[in-house]
Amino acid sequence: MFEEMIGKQSIPVKNRVEHGSVRAFSHAIGDPSPIYTDEEVGKRSRYGKNLAPPTYPRVFDYGVIEDFNLPNVGLIHGKQTFQYNRPLLVGETVMCSTVLEDYYERKGKSGLLGFLILKRLGKDPDGDIIFTEEQVVIITEAVRKGMTS
């Protein structure tokens, strides 16, 4: 269904890691660690700044892959992993994009399932990767039928 889209990428989008947003996010996930919320703790850390929680990149804009449209309902969140090359620092700018890494289908109890593998990248302004996120989205047969009709 999406085989011809494999390898397509969105145009990178500039995002800023704002202190207020990091503070609100850390409270929302139930982890108000001082390294995320207290500016004095951040200044005294080895990074000299506050850090963003590991899952914070979920709030970023990753752009749009042209001609890649998924419905807003009916998808199953299969798996999500983050890998960091270094911590994400409050105050920095991050260029974010999405790549459609893979698509495959498997027969399940409820019919044919589609598995989309999306890779999201967060790079600093020099182009060095800060983090990668891999997400598996499962498309049920009912959703697939709705997309093709």
Side-chain angles (χ1 to χ4, degrees):
M1 181 171 206
F2 291 103
E3 291 88 348
E4 72 283 352
M5 301 285 300
I6 293 172
K8 292 208 176 201
Q9 183 171 341
S10 65
I11 295 171
V13 176
K14 184 187 288 190
N15 292 267
R16 184 134 173 94
V17 184
E18 300 287 345
H19 186 75
S21 175
V22 168
R23 186 182 309 118
F25 185 88
S26 69
H27 284 288
I29 64 171
D31 187 1
S33 171
I35 195 63
Y36 308 140
T37 60
D38 187 322
E39 290 184 66
E40 288 304 314
V41 170
K43 287 177 187 174
R44 291 191 311 266
S45 76
R46 66 178 162 168
Y47 301 103
K49 295 182 176 191
N50 291 100
L51 307 181
T55 56
Y56 181 79
R58 290 295 301 149
V59 305
F60 288 152
D61 182 352
Y62 291 87
V64 176
I65 298 173
E66 192 173 330
D67 299 323
F68 178 63
N69 301 305
L70 288 176
N72 291 328
V73 296
L75 302 174
I76 299 171
H77 179 82
K79 177 176 122 177
Q80 182 178 19
T81 58
F82 291 89
Q83 178 154 353
Y84 280 84
N85 292 337
R86 67 162 178 81
L88 186 58
L89 305 174
V90 169
E92 75 178 314
T93 298
V94 183
M95 299 302 292
C96 297
S97 60
T98 302
V99 179
L100 201 159
E101 283 279 301
D102 199 5
Y103 177 78
Y104 58 92
E105 297 173 343
R106 297 282 186 268
K107 186 78 173 150
K109 291 179 184 176
S110 62
L112 192 61
L113 299 173
F115 293 81
L116 272 173
I117 313 300
L118 299 170
K119 186 174 188 178
R120 291 180 164 169
L121 304 167
K123 297 180 180 182
D124 67 20
D126 294 328
D128 295 324
I129 295 176
I130 301 169
F131 67 87
T132 58
E133 173 196 349
E134 186 173 281
Q135 182 179 33
V136 178
V137 177
I138 303 169
I139 305 170
T140 64
E141 188 163 332
V143 170
R144 290 166 40 83
K145 286 180 182 174
M147 290 173 66
T148 57
S149 58

